[in-house]
C-alpha cells in the first residue's frame, strides 16, 4: 500500500481553492484546504473503491463543499456558534467517559476488554448522533456538516472578525 500526497488547485464559482491531499488508492482520501480558508478538512472512505479519476473529481467537489459550508457558518454565525457551544460541552463529557473506559482496559480480561471496546464504540456513535440531533435542533443545513469543519470555521471566523479565540 502506498500513500500518495499532492497539492490540488481548482476553481469554484470563480474562486481559487487550494488544498493538500493524501490518497490511499483506491479507497481513502483526506483533503485539507490551504486557501482561502486554511485548515478545513474532509476525509472519506469508499468500500467499493474508486478510480483515481473519480477520486480526483470527488476531491475537487469536496473543496467546493468545504468552501460553501464555511460561507454558511460565516453568514449565520450566531446559530452555528450556539450549536458549537452546546456540542463542545456534550463532547467534553463524552470524551471523559471514553477516557475512563480506556483506562479500565489496562487491567481487563479478554471478555471485559471486548465489552469495553463495544462500549467505547457506542459512546463514539452516540456522539455523532448527538451532533446531528443538534444540527436539527438549530435547523442547520447541510446535514453533512462535521464537528471538525464547524470547529475550524468558528475558529477562523473568530480570529478574523471577532479577535477572540
Amino acid at each position: 500500500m502506498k500513500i500518495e500526497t499532492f497539492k490540488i488547485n481548482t476553481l469554484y464559482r470563480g474562486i481559487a481553492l487550494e488544498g493538500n491531499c493524501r490518497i490511499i488508492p483506491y479507497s481513502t482520501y483526506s483533503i485539507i484546504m490551504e486557501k482561502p480558508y486554511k485548515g478545513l478538512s474532509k476525509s472519506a472512505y469508499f468500500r467499493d473503491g474508486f478510480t483515481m479519476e473519480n477520486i480526483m473529481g470527488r476531491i475537487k467537489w469536496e473543496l467546493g463543499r468545504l468552501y460553501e459550508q464555511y460561507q454558511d457558518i460565516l453568514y449565520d454565525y450566531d446559530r452555528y456558534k450556539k450549536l458549537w457551544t452546546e456540542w463542545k460541552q456534550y463532547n467534553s463529557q463524552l470524551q471523559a467517559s471514553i477516557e475512563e473506559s480506556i483506562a479500565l482496559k489496562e487491567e481487563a480480561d479478554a471478555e471485559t476488554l471486548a465489552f469495553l471496546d463495544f462500549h467505547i464504540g457506542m459512546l463514539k456513535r452516540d456522539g455523532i448522533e448527538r451532533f446531528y440531533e443538534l444540527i436539527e435542533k438549530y435547523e442547520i443545513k447541510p446535514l453533512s456538516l462535521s464537528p471538525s469543519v464547524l470547529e475550524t470555521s468558528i475558529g477562523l471566523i473568530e480570529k478574523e472578525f471577532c479577535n477572540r479565540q
Side-chain angles (χ1 to χ4, degrees):
M1 173 177 16
K2 180 181 174 191
I3 298 175
E4 298 180 28
T5 304
F6 55 91
K7 289 195 175 289
I8 189 159
N9 300 300
T10 189
L11 281 177
Y12 178 77
R13 297 184 179 178
I15 297 166
L17 306 177
E18 295 179 20
N20 292 317
C21 187
R22 294 185 309 171
I23 297 176
I24 299 174
Y26 294 90
S27 62
T28 308
Y29 73 83
S30 173
I31 180 85
I32 300 173
M33 185 180 284
E34 291 297 317
K35 291 182 183 174
Y37 307 120
K38 186 176 179 129
L40 298 179
S41 64
K42 170 74 178 182
S43 297
Y45 170 79
F46 307 106
R47 182 180 2 184
D48 298 330
F50 273 28
T51 65
M52 284 300 283
E53 183 178 318
N54 290 347
I55 290 174
M56 294 302 291
R58 179 69 184 236
I59 289 168
K60 289 178 180 180
W61 180 79
E62 288 290 1
L63 272 175
R65 201 162 116 193
L66 287 170
Y67 175 83
E68 287 292 334
Q69 288 177 344
Y70 178 88
Q71 291 296 313
D72 289 344
I73 294 167
L74 178 62
Y75 292 124
D76 201 359
Y77 174 80
D78 291 337
R79 194 161 36 133
Y80 282 91
K81 181 64 177 182
K82 288 177 186 173
L83 164 65
W84 176 242
T85 300
E86 193 169 337
W87 163 250
K88 201 164 70 169
Q89 200 171 36
Y90 177 83
N91 193 48
S92 176
Q93 296 167 349
L94 182 70
Q95 291 306 315
S97 295
I98 290 172
E99 288 173 19
E100 285 178 36
S101 298
I102 290 171
L104 291 173
K105 289 174 67 173
E106 292 179 15
E107 298 176 15
D109 59 32
E111 187 176 312
T112 304
L113 189 60
F115 182 64
L116 287 169
D117 285 340
F118 171 75
H119 177 67
I120 291 167
M122 292 290 91
L123 287 172
K124 290 178 180 178
R125 181 177 171 182
D126 183 55
I128 292 168
E129 288 175 5
R130 179 66 181 147
F131 183 76
Y132 289 105
E133 288 170 4
L134 292 172
I135 283 179
E136 287 180 15
K137 174 183 175 181
Y138 290 101
E139 299 178 352
I140 291 185
K141 306 288 186 239
L143 295 176
S144 61
L145 180 67
S146 70
S148 65
V149 170
L150 180 61
E151 176 182 24
T152 302
S153 296
I154 293 288
L156 289 170
I157 291 166
E158 288 181 349
K159 185 177 180 182
E160 179 76 18
F161 299 106
C162 304
N163 295 322
R164 49 187 158 137
Q165 293 185 9

